[in-house]
Amino acid sequence: MEEIIQEKISADHLLYVSLKYTKTCDVIINLIIRWRKMIETSIDAILQQAKKKKKISIIPISPVKKIEQVRKIFKNDKNFQEVIDLYEMFRKIGELRIERIGEFRKNVTLKVFYRGKEININLEQLKIYADMLEKFISTTKQFLLR
C-alpha cells in the first residue's frame, strides 16, 4: 500500500503543480505513465492478497491474464472496471497515435487515437480520471486491509 500511495503522491504533483505551470503534453504523458505504474502496483497487491485469501490459486505472469483475474474479483464494481479499461489504454500510450494541441496554453490537450476513437485528454478529463483513480485506490485499500 505504501508504494501505491507514493505513486499517487507523485501523480498528484504532476497533475496539480507541474501541469499547472508548464502546460505541455509531455507532462500529461508522464502523468499517465505514473498512473499506469500505480494501477500495476495495485493489481499486483490485489492478486497477492486474493491468493492469500484463497480466492485465486495462482497469480498469472502475463499482464493480460492479471487484468482478467482482477476483473473477475471486482466484477460488481463499476468504477473498478472503468479504471481497468483506462489502464488498458494507459498501457498502450507509447504506441498510440497522438496529437498535441494548444501546448503552453490554458487548454492544452493530448488527442489520443485508441480503438478507433478519438480521446481528448485535457485538464478537465485528467480531473475526471483522478477522481476515478481516487475511488480505485480506496477500493484497493479496503480489499487489502480486509
Side-chain angles (χ1 to χ4, degrees), residues 7 42 52 71 108 117 126:
E7 289 293 339
S42 299
K52 271 188 210 168
R71 279 190 188 277
V108 60
K117 290 186 207 152
L126 289 171

Side-chain angles (χ1 to χ4, degrees), residues 108-122:
V108 60
T109 303
L110 182 70
K111 190 183 285 191
V112 177
F113 297 90
Y114 178 66
R115 291 185 177 168
K117 290 186 207 152
E118 196 177 283
I119 301 167
N120 291 316
I121 302 175
N122 53 24

Side-chain angles (χ1 to χ4, degrees), residues 91-97:
R91 284 187 54 222
K92 293 180 170 72
I93 201 73
E95 309 157 12
L96 298 174
R97 188 170 74 104

Side-chain angles (χ1 to χ4, degrees), residues 10-99:
S10 297
D12 286 349
H13 181 78
L14 281 170
L15 178 61
Y16 297 110
V17 179
S18 300
L19 193 58
K20 182 179 177 180
Y21 293 107
T22 58
K23 293 182 179 29
T24 65
C25 290
D26 289 334
V27 174
I28 295 174
I29 291 169
N30 287 334
L31 175 61
I32 289 171
I33 291 169
R34 186 66 66 176
W35 278 340
R36 183 181 73 199
K37 285 181 189 172
M38 182 183 75
I39 296 168
E40 282 169 2
T41 306
S42 299
I43 288 172
D44 289 340
I46 288 166
L47 291 174
Q48 287 173 354
Q49 184 70 0
K51 190 172 191 307
K52 271 188 210 168
K53 293 179 179 178
K54 300 190 180 346
K55 287 188 176 193
I56 59 172
S57 54
I58 58 166
I59 298 174
I61 296 168
S62 82
V64 174
K65 295 286 182 196
K66 285 181 180 181
I67 290 170
E68 286 174 15
Q69 202 69 272
V70 168
R71 279 190 188 277
K72 285 179 191 170
I73 294 169
F74 290 96
K75 63 181 172 270
N76 297 328
D77 190 327
K78 186 175 176 261
N79 182 68
F80 204 93
Q81 298 294 332
E82 288 173 358
V83 169
I84 297 300
D85 291 339
L86 201 57
Y87 168 66
E88 289 179 325
M89 180 182 77
F90 289 172
R91 284 187 54 222
K92 293 180 170 72
I93 201 73
E95 309 157 12
L96 298 174
R97 188 170 74 104
I98 58 174
E99 287 179 19

